[in-house]
Amino acid sequence: MLLIFYSAFGGVRAVTFTDVLQFITFSIVIPLLTWFMFVKVGKSPISLILSFLQGYKKFQFSSIFHSDYTHLARILLLVLSAMVIYIEPGTMQRVYMCSCPRQSKKVFLYATVFNLIITIFIILISLFIFAKSPDLQAIEIWPYVVCQYSTLF
């Protein structure tokens, strides 16, 4: 009932407009910030950054996947369970806005691909910050980003 009332008085249009603005912002600002972070690191070739990161135990592939397969199965099950609880009311509203199940499938596909791309960019930003200043504490990361990079971001 609340969803129908909200939709009848322009709520869907406001949510859609906000989503479009966020899409444009995320599509431009996050990749640009990633590029500027990459340039700021100074270790231009990716191979130099990767070799630097491999010097740390937490970035070694063997530390992620141990020979203990029950541990790997638990991590996989945790990821699968997190996918189910990740569906939020806002996501369901976007599904309700679709005209048919096929359009809902396309919406989820496009949202998933875009989310994956943005997540990769965010991971790259964090890796570039670590490569530039590996001694930063977690509480110092955001002030470091604000001080080191353009206030435009």
Side-chain angles (χ1 to χ4, degrees):
M1 181 71 170
L2 182 63
L3 182 63
I4 294 171
F5 181 76
Y6 179 72
S7 299
F9 291 104
V12 172
R13 184 186 316 172
V15 168
T16 304
F17 182 71
T18 304
D19 287 346
V20 169
L21 286 178
Q22 287 176 354
F23 174 77
I24 291 169
T25 302
F26 287 164
S27 298
I28 296 171
V29 171
I30 291 177
L32 272 175
L33 182 61
T34 306
W35 175 254
F36 287 133
M37 296 277 204
F38 174 70
V39 170
K40 197 81 163 179
V41 167
K43 299 172 179 138
S44 295
I46 294 288
S47 61
L48 287 177
I49 294 173
L50 290 177
S51 65
F52 171 75
L53 292 175
Q54 286 179 348
Y56 289 89
K57 184 178 189 282
K58 59 183 160 185
F59 291 106
Q60 292 177 357
F61 195 68
S62 62
S63 69
I64 297 172
F65 299 109
H66 303 286
S67 61
D68 183 16
Y69 293 110
T70 59
H71 180 69
L72 183 61
R74 281 187 261 153
I75 290 175
L76 182 63
L77 289 173
L78 181 64
V79 168
L80 290 174
S81 67
M83 290 173 59
V84 173
I85 62 170
Y86 188 68
I87 299 175
E88 299 173 345
T91 305
M92 290 311 300
Q93 181 182 11
R94 288 170 188 85
V95 170
Y96 291 147
M97 290 170 38
C98 296
S99 62
C100 64
R102 185 175 297 157
Q103 189 178 22
S104 298
K105 180 180 174 183
K106 286 182 183 179
V107 166
F108 272 114
L109 176 67
Y110 296 153
T112 301
V113 169
F114 183 72
N115 188 11
L116 180 67
I117 291 169
I118 292 299
T119 302
I120 289 170
F121 278 125
I122 291 172
I123 290 170
L124 285 174
I125 288 171
S126 64
L127 287 176
F128 294 152
I129 290 173
F130 183 79
K132 180 74 173 166
S133 299
D135 298 329
L136 281 178
Q137 298 295 320
I139 198 165
E140 300 170 335
I141 293 174
W142 184 245
Y144 174 81
V145 171
V146 170
C147 291
Q148 291 291 317
Y149 301 100
S150 173
T151 56
L152 173 68
F153 295 108

